[in-house]
Amino acid sequence: MIEKRDFYINGQWVAPSQANDFAVIDPSTEAACAVISLGSEADTNAAVAAAKAALPGWIATPPAERIAMVEKLVDAYQARGEDLAQAISAEMGAPIDMARSQQVGAGIYHLKNFIRAAKAFQFEKPLGDHAPNDRIIHEAVGVAALITPWNWPMNQITLKVGAAAISGCTMVLKPSEQSPLNAMIFAEMMDEAGFPPGVFNLVNGDGVGVGSTLSAHPDVDMVSFTGSTRAGTAISKSAAETLKKVHLELGGKGANVIFDDADEKAVKRGVLHMMNNTGQSCNAPSRMLVQRGVYDQAVATAAEVAGKISVGAASEEGRHIGPVVNELQWGKIQSLIQAGIDEGAKLVAGGTGRPEGLDKGFYVKPTIFADVNNQMVVAREEIFGPVLAIIPFDTEEEAVQIANDTPYGLTNYVQTQDMERANRMARQLRSGMVEMNGQSRSAGAPFGGMKQSGNGREGGSWGIEDFLEVKAVGGWAAE
């Protein structure tokens, strides 16, 4: 079993100020795969102090040099890809092939996109031709607390660290205590890349401890958080005392609107997208809205596709889904599946309990509910597991109404061959992102939501801007 109790503070690994061991559980086996230490207030204060001390020098470092440092990070990341994949697979349950391709792949994708965006970004620029002596300066917000989740750990760590580093912010990262091992490998990569001491710091801990200390800390200028809406609300309240900038990427309950002219692969594509990462994605298309004329066939197809999805251990190679992250999540998902049954939704695949042959591990049956209405619990709650709710609709207007009838607003999806209708839908759907006909957003596109899915944007130039303040300067002397 791995024992990694130290924190990365001010360019070195340091022992925790007090013993507070935490067992990291392998969700495939329910056995401990590692022991870490949860940080104290003293550990968190030390990390913030290191970041504050490093801030003046890092802000003053020319952007080209900061970008070059991130390029060195890319080299280190590529060299440690297998280590990251093994850690992620063991600690949060991503099947190893998926961990290699998607989980680890997401991190390198974002870092390279930040480098490309940063090289074109104007950190200083004229206000306009009408004001030759005015300058707009984009300056780092300051010390940034980065609080990341367990479900896509490298995706979220790189989205935050890459943007913060390029912008000139110094950082304290608190990864999820459920998936800390990959973050500790990432800290080793930051060290190898040569970031100055104090620019990047890592303290393991839970939300109540380290997370709360960071959110309220007077020397933290910004909190960038990805996680639940409940936790995001608590962070916002805590950060308000010191008027911090707060960036939130929270939950979702995305609608996948399938019109009767959708392509023949639309339903299968939607089910597989929902089940990817065992349904543990905030942008999962968890509500499938199907036009009445193709509804029965869509339900039959969805049930067939779900029935063919295999479930197995994360350590096994192949195209299957793994367990959910822990016992708490497993229990929540089971109760929500039971709620769907109790409310009268039609169970056409899956159900409660573990899949056949899997008696240990936090495995969930790929589950499909049909004949759902949008007021049922399975249509309202973010289940965060492999559970899809199918809802019928008749008209475009009704589809928009159902899709928007949710507190969330992260990602919605549209499947139709009528591109005028697709464009109308994209304008009317209240979400930060809309994807149509299986077409993902392109490199550098912003990721983020509206309503209770959060604020701010991550990725590309928008992600860099989130870590910057805008300074207006009058009377600028020509250089």
Side-chain angles (χ1 to χ4, degrees):
M1 184 169 59
I2 298 170
E3 295 187 13
K4 299 191 77 168
R5 291 181 172 86
D6 290 354
F7 307 134
Y8 186 75
I9 298 175
N10 204 28
Q12 56 188 335
W13 291 95
V14 299
S17 61
Q18 61 189 51
N20 189 8
D21 283 358
F22 178 85
V24 180
I25 303 300
D26 180 338
S28 293
T29 65
E30 302 185 35
C33 63
V35 174
I36 63 167
S37 185
L38 301 181
S40 66
E41 183 176 358
D43 298 317
T44 310
N45 289 341
V48 173
K52 182 179 180 181
L55 182 62
W58 190 238
I59 283 183
T61 301
E65 294 183 23
R66 299 197 297 257
I67 294 168
M69 200 73 72
V70 176
E71 289 177 321
K72 291 180 181 178
L73 174 62
V74 168
D75 293 337
Y77 191 106
Q78 290 175 321
R80 299 292 301 275
E82 182 62 19
D83 294 338
L84 287 170
Q86 293 291 341
I88 291 169
S89 183
E91 62 193 343
M92 60 75 59
I96 186 60
D97 285 348
M98 183 266 188
R100 289 171 179 142
S101 61
Q102 296 184 47
Q103 293 277 2
V104 175
I108 200 72
Y109 175 82
H110 293 312
L111 291 175
K112 288 181 176 179
N113 286 336
F114 279 132
I115 290 167
R116 180 171 57 249
K119 288 180 176 179
F121 194 90
Q122 288 184 286
F123 288 88
E124 293 186 10
K125 61 183 180 181
L127 175 62
D129 293 340
H130 69 290
N133 298 117
D134 282 49
R135 284 291 185 275
I136 300 299
I137 298 175
H138 293 277
E139 183 175 290
V141 171
V143 175
L146 314 178
I147 304 175
T148 55
W150 48 261
N151 60 319
W152 287 94
M154 270 301 112
N155 183 77
Q156 293 307 132
I157 288 173
T158 54
L159 278 172
K160 297 181 191 304
V161 172
I166 285 170
S167 73
C169 289
T170 56
M171 298 155 267
V172 179
L173 171 65
K174 189 210 84 66
S176 169
E177 68 276 20
Q178 304 294 328
S179 60
L181 302 180
N182 67 90
M184 299 176 85
I185 295 170
F186 185 84
E188 293 170 359
M189 296 189 297
M190 293 290 287
D191 188 79
E192 183 181 339
F195 282 85
V199 169
F200 173 86
N201 306 273
L202 178 149
V203 179
N204 283 315
D206 57 19
V208 174
V210 174
S212 294
T213 301
L214 287 171
S215 300
H217 203 293
D219 290 333
V220 170
D221 300 295
M222 174 180 175
V223 178
S224 180
F225 169 77
T226 300
S228 71
T229 298
R230 176 195 55 77
T233 301
I235 286 170
S236 297
K237 291 177 179 178
S238 179
E241 291 293 327
T242 48
L243 296 178
K244 288 176 176 44
K245 184 175 184 178
V246 178
H247 169 113
L248 301 172
E249 198 279 282
L250 308 175
K253 193 68 180 177
N256 184 11
V257 183
I258 298 179
F259 286 95
D260 54 14
D261 66 342
D263 67 272
E264 62 181 11
K265 296 181 180 179
V267 173
K268 179 179 180 179
R269 185 170 62 238
V271 173
L272 294 178
H273 188 173
M274 177 63 233
M275 302 301 171
N276 188 47
N277 205 37
T278 319
Q280 299 170 123
S281 301
C282 52
N283 61 341
S286 54
R287 292 180 296 153
M288 181 178 283
L289 279 54
V290 182
Q291 197 160 24
R292 192 83 60 179
V294 293
Y295 179 78
D296 289 343
Q297 182 57 56
V299 170
T301 300
E304 180 183 1
V305 172
K308 292 180 179 178
I309 294 173
S310 59
V311 183
S315 58
E316 296 175 359
E317 296 188 344
R319 299 182 64 180
H320 60 281
I321 65 172
V324 296
V325 69
N326 58 32
E327 185 175 14
L328 182 66
Q329 284 296 118
W330 188 88
K332 174 192 170 187
I333 294 164
Q334 297 302 310
S335 65
L336 287 168
I337 292 173
Q338 187 60 52
I341 295 170
D342 293 344
E343 285 190 318
K346 184 180 179 182
L347 184 67
V348 297
T352 57
R354 289 175 171 82
E356 186 177 351
L358 296 171
D359 298 326
K360 200 165 188 64
F362 305 122
Y363 299 102
V364 177
K365 298 175 184 176
T367 297
I368 308 285
F369 282 108
D371 299 351
V372 175
N373 70 63
N374 205 48
Q375 302 312 309
M376 290 181 177
V377 170
V378 291
R380 308 302 297 177
E381 295 282 337
E382 185 183 33
I383 299 173
F384 230 61
V387 182
L388 173 67
I390 306 181
I391 303 171
F393 72 90
D394 291 299
T395 65
E396 179 180 329
E397 292 74 19
E398 184 186 7
V400 171
Q401 187 276 323
I402 295 171
N404 287 339
D405 180 20
T406 173
Y408 299 107
L410 190 57
T411 313
N412 285 306
Y413 304 82
V414 179
Q415 321 297 329
T416 178
Q417 299 307 301
D418 182 343
M419 294 315 296
E420 289 186 5
R421 175 162 62 189
N423 291 346
R424 286 197 304 272
M425 292 289 292
R427 292 188 176 98
Q428 294 178 82
L429 292 170
R430 295 284 296 160
S431 55
M433 298 170 286
V434 178
E435 297 183 7
M436 299 189 286
N437 298 320
Q439 181 67 48
S440 298
R441 294 163 298 107
S442 298
F447 187 103
M450 55 180 69
K451 300 194 285 185
Q452 290 187 29
S453 289
N455 53 54
R457 294 295 181 268
E458 293 186 312
S461 60
W462 286 271
I464 294 170
E465 287 177 0
D466 250 23
F467 286 89
L468 294 169
E469 298 281 15
V470 177
K471 179 186 289 182
V473 181
W476 185 271
E479 295 177 322

